[in-house]
Amino acid sequence: MSAEPLAAGLLNRAHSPDIASTLYREKIKLRPLLLRPSSPDPTQNARSARQHARLVKQRAVHKSNKPRPLSAKQKRSLCIYEIPKSQQKYSIYEPIHVMWCVYMRDILGVADGKRSHIEAQDADPFLASADYHGAFVEVVRSRCASRVGMKGIVVRDTKFTFEVVTKTDEVKVLPKEHSVFRVELPFEDKEGEEKRKPLVFEVLGEQFQHRATDRANRKFRWHADPDL
């Protein structure tokens, strides 16, 4: 006599013989057992499977071939942003300053004699969002007295500094914090006309502690700086 299965015996204790037999047959004995739950979809044919495998392989190859961007430490070690000694010449950047003057006269609306002057309130938004690569700047006020009087053409406008090339062919780093810079914009010289005085602006370095690309969409408000 064969021993009764444990599950059948437990069901016979709780239910009548007919109900226990039905439950054992449908719920336990004939219940399907999934041996491979991760099997491929039976509706997917061999062609679809090959296309899927090929797509997965292409994505893996593309991901592995994509170069990773350099970190800030790697950029400093490679001296990417340093100007070589042979290119630290004021004469090299004078044409860039001429181009910058044309650019500023255009955005301020004083090019081709359109306007002879501009109000400070009208110039503020343009000065705040302008690009200063090529501008001739001079430190007129600063917490550090040794910086006052330094001037040159801006060759690099970072978030916190102006890097300039002076007339003595030296590269100087001028921090924007606690400094006021003077920027001169000469008018275009024309034959037969008297030479006019250049436009002179003083910009607060605290308001320019942003990258040139980030300043383009920012709005600035005038305020006094008690630290100067």
Side-chain angles (χ1 to χ4, degrees):
M1 183 177 179
S2 60
E4 182 182 20
L6 178 61
L10 294 175
L11 289 173
N12 287 328
R13 293 181 183 181
H15 303 283
S16 62
D18 295 338
I19 297 176
S21 176
T22 303
L23 291 176
Y24 178 75
R25 183 177 64 256
E26 295 180 356
K27 301 295 184 181
I28 299 176
K29 188 175 181 179
L30 301 180
R31 183 178 180 180
L33 179 61
L34 301 178
L35 298 178
R36 297 180 61 190
S38 59
S39 300
D41 188 359
T43 61
Q44 187 179 25
N45 54 27
R47 181 180 180 183
S48 300
R50 289 194 301 270
Q51 290 178 350
H52 179 71
R54 185 164 57 251
L55 181 61
V56 172
K57 185 177 180 180
Q58 289 176 354
R59 289 179 179 175
V61 171
H62 178 71
K63 184 177 181 180
S64 61
N65 291 340
K66 185 177 180 181
R68 296 182 59 185
L70 296 176
S71 64
K73 183 178 180 180
Q74 291 173 329
K75 291 179 181 178
R76 288 193 297 268
S77 62
L78 295 174
C79 304
I80 291 179
Y81 297 118
E82 291 187 9
I83 302 176
K85 190 68 175 178
S86 60
Q87 298 181 11
Q88 297 179 9
K89 305 293 183 181
Y90 184 83
S91 58
I92 295 177
Y93 302 97
E94 283 184 313
I96 301 178
H97 174 61
V98 175
M99 294 174 60
W100 182 85
C101 292
V102 175
Y103 155 73
M104 284 300 297
R105 286 195 294 263
D106 187 44
I107 65 174
L108 292 176
V110 296
D112 300 329
K114 296 178 181 178
R115 302 169 66 178
S116 59
H117 67 284
I118 184 171
E119 298 293 338
Q121 296 83 354
D122 300 333
D124 286 344
F126 300 106
L127 292 174
S129 59
D131 190 341
Y132 283 82
H133 288 93
F136 188 87
V137 300
E138 179 183 359
V139 181
V140 292
R141 290 197 299 277
S142 177
R143 269 190 178 184
C144 182
S146 61
R147 298 177 191 161
V148 178
M150 288 187 179
K151 52 188 175 182
I153 297 176
V154 178
V155 294
R156 189 178 174 207
D157 182 3
T158 66
K159 185 174 182 179
F160 298 109
T161 63
F162 281 130
E163 192 169 328
V164 303
V165 173
T166 64
K167 292 184 178 180
T168 57
D169 298 336
E170 295 179 331
V171 175
K172 299 290 185 180
V173 179
L174 307 178
K176 298 178 182 179
E177 188 177 15
H178 307 310
S179 299
V180 176
F181 300 89
R182 175 179 295 165
V183 182
E184 291 190 2
L185 178 62
F187 284 97
E188 186 178 3
D189 294 334
K190 293 184 178 181
E191 296 182 0
E193 293 185 3
E194 185 179 356
K195 187 175 181 180
R196 292 180 291 179
K197 294 183 179 180
L199 297 174
V200 180
F201 305 98
E202 289 190 357
V203 295
L204 186 63
E206 298 282 349
Q207 290 276 28
F208 287 80
Q209 288 187 339
H210 304 278
R211 293 181 301 175
T213 54
D214 297 335
R215 288 200 310 265
N217 298 322
R218 291 183 62 89
K219 294 183 179 179
F220 294 86
R221 296 181 180 178
W222 183 91
H223 68 276
D225 191 352
D227 294 333
L228 294 175

